[in-house]
Amino acid sequence: WDGIEEYLPSKDAFIDLRDYPTPETLATKLRHVATDDDAYNQMHAWRYQDPNTWPLAFRNLIREVSDDMKGSICNVLKAGPSPNHPRAKVQGFCADGSHSVE
């Protein structure tokens, strides 16, 4: 998909399947990343960089996912423990201030 790089933190942060003509060449790359610390660290280097250096589309995507996750967690807390699966008591507040769980 053209333009995917805009939604990724770095060109080194993913393995593009289009770069590998056969499953065997892809498997070789995956083994290399899994067994070579330098290759692995290069793929994850973006995690230690200033987020302002990440592409804007990626930063916006992270914001959107974070907001969705916060809303989902809040909804779970509002619903309370499942009757079939007792949970420990949780204390917290929803972002909109509408509900607290004690």
Side-chain angles (χ1 to χ4, degrees), residues 85-96:
H85 185 58
R87 292 176 173 43
K89 289 188 174 186
V90 178
Q91 293 184 353
F93 298 91
C94 293
D96 64 4

Side-chain angles (χ1 to χ4, degrees), residues 38-84:
D38 289 337
Y40 179 87
N41 290 334
Q42 182 177 357
M43 290 197 75
H44 292 274
W46 66 270
R47 296 175 185 271
Y48 305 100
Q49 296 170 345
D50 180 351
N52 291 318
T53 65
W54 300 342
L56 181 59
F58 178 69
R59 287 183 278 157
N60 289 337
L61 181 62
I62 292 293
R63 253 185 234 108
E64 186 71 30
V65 169
S66 295
D67 287 345
D68 288 347
M69 191 178 309
K70 289 176 195 170
S72 297
I73 291 170
C74 188
N75 289 336
V76 168
L77 292 173
K78 283 180 181 178
S82 165
N84 300 326

Side-chain angles (χ1 to χ4, degrees), residues 15-51:
I15 296 172
D16 190 341
L17 300 180
R18 298 173 293 185
D19 293 340
Y20 301 90
T22 66
E24 292 77 17
T25 58
L26 174 60
T28 299
K29 173 65 174 182
L30 294 173
R31 268 191 233 92
H32 176 68
V33 171
T35 59
D36 183 282
D37 287 343
D38 289 337
Y40 179 87
N41 290 334
Q42 182 177 357
M43 290 197 75
H44 292 274
W46 66 270
R47 296 175 185 271
Y48 305 100
Q49 296 170 345
D50 180 351

